[in-house]
Amino acid sequence: MDFTKTILDENEFPKRWYNILPDLPEQLAPPLHPLTKEPLGPKDLQPLFPLEIIKQEVSTERFIDIPAAVLDIYRLWRPTPLYRARRLEAALKTPAKIFYKWEGVSPPGSHKPNTAVAQAYYNMKEGVERLTTETGAGQWGSALSFACNLFSLECMVYMVRASYEQKPYRKMMIEVWGGRIVPSPSTQTKAGRATLERDPKTPGSLGIAISEAVEDAMTHENTKYSLGSVLNHVLLHQTIIGLEVKKQFEKIGLYPDSIYCCVGGGSNFGGFTFPFLKDKLNGTKAELEVIACEPEACPSITRGLFAYDFGDTAKLAPIVKMYTLGHGFIPSPIHAGGLRYHGASPIISLLAKKKVISTQTFHQNATFQAATLFAQTEGFIVAPESAHAVRAVIDEALRCKRTGEEKIIVFNNSGHGNFDLAAYEAFFTQKLVDYSYPEQLVRKAMRDLPEV
Amino acid sequence: MDFTKTILDENEFPKRWYNILPDLPEQLAPPLHPLTKEPLGPKDLQPLFPLEIIKQEVSTERFIDIPAAVLDIYRLWRPTPLYRARRLEAALKTPAKIFYKWEGVSPPGSHKPNTAVAQAYYNMKEGVERLTTETGAGQWGSALSFACNLFSLECMVYMVRASYEQKPYRKMMIEVWGGRIVPSPSTQTKAGRATLERDPKTPGSLGIAISEAVEDAMTHENTKYSLGSVLNHVLLHQTIIGLEVKKQFEKIGLYPDSIYCCVGGGSNFGGFTFPFLKDKLNGTKAELEVIACEPEACPSITRGLFAYDFGDTAKLAPIVKMYTLGHGFIPSPIHAGGLRYHGASPIISLLAKKKVISTQTFHQNATFQAATLFAQTEGFIVAPESAHAVRAVIDEALRCKRTGEEKIIVFNNSGHGNFDLAAYEAFFTQKLVDYSYPEQLVRKAMRDLPEV
């Protein structure tokens, strides 16, 4: 058996999500109210989220049942395959065994619907009629539009302007599923208008787009807000990925030595790694290496401060303790729009602070070079976000070539790059800029951290 | 068990293609040489194809082994899932059971690599270093670029200009896999230059692009030609689709009553239906309905003549007996570029002539309306070509609603529409033209049929 592709059947399909909260090395610092700076209670979150989501956000249950209606939609593309990247290994002449999980088979083309479907379902159950959200590269916005459509909810997407202009097909995809979309900052919200006044040419950022979506939800009837990353419940829903991968490795009698995932807010990283980190945290797999791959242009965990900060630019979202480059930081317009976030999930931040996980950073050209080699060996064209993990894995496999290590490496191939082909072309024609971390700007943004 | 998705494991994966030639109701009329008009011998085909392909083109073996190296690449995305379209059924309130095979999971996004990989493999085995081809919507060109890259062959693609301009991402995809691509008619060939002289603004056609690719292959060293449809060996390779679907239906204990596939040259139609037509032709499933779905703008089988005609515009390709609208006919620039071909596979043409299969035709707006309903119920965004089958299936399901028939309907969802989103947008903004069959033009083109 050569394990080119490991699939799971209906009986092996996970029916529960894994909640890492009870297994963390210490309790998370409580999220604070953006105005009062007091610890948030469930009531403070009710204008934004349905009750079931608020319960999941703080649940200490280790496993949470996936509702049947959600499983039924997951089945459209799940369980997703786990591949052994034999052609990539051969091209690198590495003794390492490289595996990847392929989340690009979902209708919107990434892992994002894993939580979008769950969130749309819980909102529908509680009578919500309209959801607002932000999106970076458009993966999340199209996933929520897809999910809302299946549960007959309206969907309003604020898409970061830099990506809106780079990826016109994402907008059209959102519209095919009936969603509405505007570039952010927009003139539809106070937060958007204020930003446009300060800088009419701003490329936008996830921080600004979040402000707009939150403001929209708070000022419209029967409308709630949906976040595609960062928060505990989002990462919880994404653990379906890692739970499947664990079963797939069990099936072929292996366990990974190193796991690589890109991290923006952290939903794909958390979803893939938490079920494995469970084993590392309880000591059964203490040697497991887990690496978060960040862009040089926005290295939130690698270079940020571990501090309380706002989740968004306009200070409407909760204050959470996380690695942050400052809520005022607007990252350079790299093509990996999903990684352009000033902070990172509080859980992942805590795990990094405790050195349970480590980080690496990469420039755009290096990631597209890796993604091109991947496309030319494994066939699949990956998203610019996932390309960060591909780069890290190739570097590690080349190191193994020098040392002779037969290490088992796995990464999450979190989405396809069909709508990012203009970025590949920019790479081929040497038009990609290797934006660095603008330390001065960030220091300025850091001075703005809330006093708590 | 609700059969939402039926998958096959490694043991159920077909290892042989099915060749319909020995089961046809009568022998195919022999293909003729474009100059001498004498029956073609294997030697006449050697400038274009490797020996193994020429052998397969005329083989009378009922089953042909799939080489291990080809199976190994198929495994990247095969076996593909068979879905029960429960949400579409519910939306239509039909008692019919609707199933679809989903070929959009391949790296290039359609069924086309099923033959591209096989053709690239046989060419590589015989020392060929470069392949030329034409492409309509770009599905075939990207599939051949993908396949050539895996076997280290150069790939040169002539893409019909109308589609080249509608679908820029296809060009970029071909380049990611290392292929070269030019819009056709191009200035690179005599055939292209001649067409441009007559009509500098021509949208191009598959017929012209084939002429260019054939001329290129005949005038370059170590270069052969690869066709993505029409010919017997192409349809043979595509039967992996129908063989899988048959096993999937066996697994759930069902057999379809009606099969719908779109048909341009016929590769997806033949690949899906031949393994089922075997049962119809030998009488075990005499009642099976098999329907070819054509565009109103290019209804080759529905409105064409069953006659000997050239496969291409410049009369370089073999003369074959088929339904044709005339090799000089240039179809209107509908978005379903893969269906813009003046003829159809000789095998499929014979089956239509013998009334083993029937046809239906559809306008663009009707197909995109159906595809939008499909995307909003089943989630997947389909290619404009596949949308023709979706339309036909929805019409039949609505008929069943009136009659109460609990019919089992299946269609091939042959590719995704990620690169066709501009066409969806044109549909939403009422900019799609319902081009009709220009009877006068076609009559003129028909007068040009070769005398044989």
Side-chain angles (χ1 to χ4, degrees):
Chain A
M1 202 170 169
D2 80 344
F3 315 141
T4 299
K5 182 167 71 170
T6 305
I7 52 176
L8 298 177
D9 66 30
E10 175 62 23
N11 302 322
E12 300 161 313
F13 191 17
K15 306 288 190 294
R16 300 185 301 172
W17 295 302
Y18 165 62
N19 177 19
I20 199 172
L21 284 185
D23 294 323
L24 288 179
E26 67 183 46
Q27 274 210 315
L28 288 183
L32 309 179
H33 193 285
L35 293 176
T36 65
K37 293 170 189 168
E38 294 297 319
L40 274 182
K43 278 199 181 153
D44 298 311
L45 291 170
Q46 282 180 27
L48 294 181
F49 301 110
L51 284 176
E52 193 60 35
I53 293 281
I54 296 171
K55 268 168 60 186
Q56 290 183 353
E57 186 64 19
V58 295
S59 169
T60 52
E61 292 294 316
R62 196 168 270 118
F63 289 96
I64 293 177
D65 287 343
I66 305 173
V70 172
L71 273 176
D72 197 39
I73 293 174
Y74 278 180
R75 278 193 192 88
L76 278 177
W77 71 96
R78 307 210 69 87
T80 62
L82 177 74
Y83 288 95
R84 170 93 183 262
R86 287 195 179 271
R87 289 178 189 83
L88 177 61
E89 290 172 16
L92 298 173
K93 299 193 176 72
T94 180
K97 295 183 181 64
I98 304 175
F99 290 84
Y100 61 95
K101 180 75 164 170
W102 180 221
E103 290 287 304
V105 289
S106 77
S110 78
H111 67 294
K112 290 292 189 186
N114 296 330
T115 183
V117 170
Q119 292 190 49
Y121 169 77
Y122 291 122
N123 275 285
M124 176 277 290
K125 286 287 279 184
E126 296 183 27
V128 176
E129 292 171 1
R130 179 171 176 270
L131 285 181
T132 68
T133 198
E134 72 293 333
T135 194
Q139 300 270 24
W140 168 244
S142 45
L144 194 68
S145 180
F146 161 79
C148 282
N149 169 69
L150 291 171
F151 293 112
S152 303
L153 301 175
E154 284 180 56
C155 181
M156 176 71 216
V157 180
Y158 294 85
M159 182 167 182
V160 176
R161 183 178 298 275
S163 295
Y164 185 90
E165 285 162 5
Q166 282 164 349
K167 301 175 218 279
Y169 281 23
R170 279 282 167 200
K171 165 188 173 293
M172 301 176 197
M173 183 177 236
I174 286 167
E175 289 171 347
V176 168
W177 286 315
R180 261 199 74 206
I181 175 167
V182 290
S184 166
S186 77
T187 54
Q188 306 226 345
T189 64
K190 272 209 279 192
R193 290 190 293 272
T195 312
L196 284 172
E197 244 166 62
R198 277 196 306 276
D199 179 6
K201 288 187 180 166
T202 175
S205 72
L206 278 171
I208 297 166
I210 293 173
S211 299
E212 292 208 272
V214 168
E215 181 187 326
D216 179 327
M218 295 199 302
T219 54
H220 285 81
E221 285 291 303
N222 272 327
T223 298
K224 294 211 188 279
Y225 166 70
S226 174
L227 188 65
S229 195
V230 181
L231 297 181
N232 303 348
H233 68 274
V234 180
L235 278 56
L236 168 76
H237 301 153
Q238 292 291 358
T239 58
I240 184 80
I241 306 172
L243 291 164
E244 283 181 13
V245 177
K246 271 188 96 166
K247 288 204 178 188
Q248 286 165 316
F249 271 117
E250 268 166 36
K251 219 170 156 171
I252 56 178
L254 297 175
Y255 194 96
D257 297 306
S258 312
I259 304 177
Y260 294 82
C261 299
C262 64
V263 60
S267 82
N268 122 68
F269 180 90
F272 190 106
T273 66
F274 287 178
F276 289 97
L277 284 169
K278 179 169 180 282
D279 300 340
K280 178 163 181 163
L281 289 165
N282 72 20
T284 53
K285 295 286 178 184
E287 300 303 302
L288 176 68
E289 298 172 324
V290 178
I291 299 98
C293 307
E294 296 195 302
E296 277 282 352
C298 190
S300 316
I301 304 176
T302 310
R303 310 287 292 272
L305 273 187
F306 185 64
Y308 266 117
D309 196 7
F310 295 100
D312 69 327
T313 304
K315 310 181 188 179
L316 296 172
I319 299 172
V320 292
K321 192 151 186 194
M322 62 180 176
Y323 276 101
T324 176
L325 298 168
H327 60 273
F329 174 55
I330 297 184
S332 302
I334 54 170
H335 284 272
L339 308 185
R340 292 179 69 243
Y341 183 61
H342 68 274
S345 140
I347 299 177
I348 296 172
S349 294
L350 177 69
L351 291 168
K353 182 72 185 169
K354 294 282 169 191
K355 301 199 189 309
V356 179
I357 64 170
S358 60
T359 70
Q360 293 180 9
T361 59
F362 302 94
H363 274 303
Q364 283 204 96
N365 280 291
T367 60
F368 278 96
Q369 189 201 30
T372 301
L373 177 60
F374 187 81
Q376 294 188 349
T377 50
E378 294 298 308
F380 296 107
I381 296 174
V382 309
E385 290 83 358
S386 326
H388 286 69
V390 178
R391 177 75 260 172
V393 162
I394 289 177
D395 288 350
E396 178 66 4
L398 290 173
R399 196 191 59 74
C400 290
K401 180 181 173 185
R402 293 190 295 272
T403 62
E405 283 168 83
E406 294 179 17
K407 214 168 163 177
I408 297 171
I409 302 173
V410 63
F411 71 98
N412 196 21
N413 199 345
S414 54
H416 67 61
N418 284 351
F419 300 129
D420 305 285
L421 283 161
Y424 279 84
E425 183 161 85
F427 167 66
F428 293 138
T429 54
Q430 273 120 53
K431 283 179 193 139
L432 275 193
V433 180
D434 276 342
Y435 297 104
S436 279
Y437 162 76
E439 200 142 349
Q440 280 177 314
L441 266 187
V442 176
R443 288 214 177 139
K444 196 168 148 242
M446 294 272 206
R447 268 179 256 137
D448 243 11
L449 291 183
E451 280 175 41
V452 294
Chain B
M1 202 171 167
D2 80 343
F3 316 143
T4 299
K5 182 166 72 170
T6 306
I7 54 175
L8 298 177
D9 66 31
E10 175 62 23
N11 301 322
E12 300 161 312
F13 190 18
K15 306 290 191 295
R16 300 185 302 171
W17 294 303
Y18 165 62
N19 178 19
I20 199 172
L21 284 184
D23 294 323
L24 287 179
E26 67 183 46
Q27 273 210 314
L28 288 183
L32 309 178
H33 192 284
L35 293 176
T36 65
K37 294 171 188 166
E38 293 297 319
L40 274 182
K43 276 199 183 153
D44 298 311
L45 291 171
Q46 281 180 29
L48 294 180
F49 301 111
L51 284 175
E52 193 60 34
I53 293 281
I54 295 170
K55 269 168 59 187
Q56 290 183 352
E57 187 64 19
V58 296
S59 170
T60 53
E61 291 295 315
R62 195 167 270 116
F63 289 96
I64 293 178
D65 286 343
I66 305 174
V70 172
L71 274 176
D72 198 39
I73 294 174
Y74 278 180
R75 279 193 190 89
L76 277 177
W77 71 95
R78 305 210 71 86
T80 62
L82 177 74
Y83 288 95
R84 171 92 182 262
R86 287 194 179 272
R87 289 177 190 84
L88 177 61
E89 290 172 17
L92 298 172
K93 298 193 176 69
T94 179
K97 295 182 180 65
I98 304 174
F99 290 84
Y100 60 96
K101 180 76 165 169
W102 180 222
E103 290 287 304
V105 288
S106 77
S110 79
H111 67 294
K112 290 291 189 187
N114 295 331
T115 182
V117 170
Q119 292 191 47
Y121 169 78
Y122 291 123
N123 275 284
M124 175 277 291
K125 285 287 280 184
E126 297 184 26
V128 176
E129 291 170 2
R130 180 171 175 271
L131 286 181
T132 68
T133 199
E134 72 292 333
T135 195
Q139 300 270 25
W140 168 245
S142 45
L144 193 68
S145 181
F146 161 78
C148 282
N149 170 69
L150 291 171
F151 292 112
S152 303
L153 301 174
E154 283 179 55
C155 181
M156 175 73 216
V157 180
Y158 295 85
M159 182 168 183
V160 176
R161 184 178 297 276
S163 295
Y164 186 90
E165 285 162 4
Q166 281 164 349
K167 302 175 216 281
Y169 281 23
R170 280 283 167 198
K171 165 188 173 293
M172 300 176 199
M173 183 177 236
I174 286 168
E175 289 171 346
V176 167
W177 287 315
R180 261 200 73 207
I181 174 167
V182 291
S184 166
S186 77
T187 54
Q188 306 226 342
T189 64
K190 272 210 279 193
R193 289 190 294 271
T195 312
L196 284 173
E197 244 165 62
R198 278 196 306 277
D199 179 6
K201 287 186 181 167
T202 175
S205 72
L206 278 170
I208 297 166
I210 293 174
S211 299
E212 292 208 272
V214 168
E215 180 186 327
D216 180 327
M218 295 200 302
T219 54
H220 285 83
E221 285 289 305
N222 273 326
T223 298
K224 293 211 188 281
Y225 167 70
S226 175
L227 188 65
S229 195
V230 180
L231 296 180
N232 304 348
H233 68 273
V234 180
L235 278 56
L236 169 76
H237 302 154
Q238 291 292 357
T239 58
I240 184 82
I241 305 173
L243 292 165
E244 284 181 12
V245 176
K246 272 189 96 165
K247 289 204 176 187
Q248 285 164 318
F249 271 116
E250 270 167 36
K251 221 170 153 170
I252 55 178
L254 297 175
Y255 195 95
D257 297 306
S258 312
I259 304 177
Y260 294 82
C261 299
C262 64
V263 60
S267 82
N268 120 69
F269 180 90
F272 191 106
T273 66
F274 287 178
F276 289 97
L277 283 169
K278 178 169 181 283
D279 300 340
K280 177 162 184 164
L281 289 165
N282 72 21
T284 53
K285 295 286 177 185
E287 301 304 300
L288 176 68
E289 299 171 324
V290 178
I291 298 99
C293 307
E294 295 195 302
E296 276 283 351
C298 190
S300 316
I301 304 177
T302 310
R303 310 287 292 270
L305 273 186
F306 185 63
Y308 266 116
D309 196 6
F310 295 99
D312 69 327
T313 305
K315 311 181 187 180
L316 296 171
I319 298 172
V320 292
K321 193 152 187 194
M322 61 178 176
Y323 276 101
T324 175
L325 298 170
H327 60 273
F329 175 54
I330 298 184
S332 302
I334 53 169
H335 284 272
L339 307 186
R340 293 179 70 244
Y341 184 60
H342 66 275
S345 141
I347 299 177
I348 296 172
S349 295
L350 177 68
L351 291 168
K353 183 71 185 170
K354 294 282 169 192
K355 302 199 188 307
V356 178
I357 64 170
S358 60
T359 69
Q360 293 179 8
T361 59
F362 302 94
H363 273 303
Q364 284 204 97
N365 279 291
T367 60
F368 278 96
Q369 189 202 30
T372 301
L373 176 60
F374 187 82
Q376 294 187 350
T377 50
E378 293 299 307
F380 295 108
I381 295 174
V382 309
E385 291 83 359
S386 326
H388 287 68
V390 177
R391 177 76 262 172
V393 162
I394 289 177
D395 288 350
E396 178 65 5
L398 289 173
R399 197 191 59 73
C400 290
K401 180 182 173 183
R402 292 191 295 273
T403 62
E405 283 169 82
E406 293 180 19
K407 214 168 162 179
I408 298 171
I409 302 174
V410 63
F411 71 98
N412 196 21
N413 199 344
S414 54
H416 67 62
N418 284 350
F419 300 129
D420 305 285
L421 283 162
Y424 279 84
E425 183 160 85
F427 167 66
F428 294 138
T429 53
Q430 274 121 51
K431 282 179 193 141
L432 275 193
V433 180
D434 276 342
Y435 297 103
S436 278
Y437 162 75
E439 200 142 349
Q440 280 179 313
L441 266 187
V442 176
R443 287 211 178 141
K444 195 169 149 239
M446 293 271 206
R447 268 179 255 138
D448 242 12
L449 292 183
E451 283 176 38
V452 295

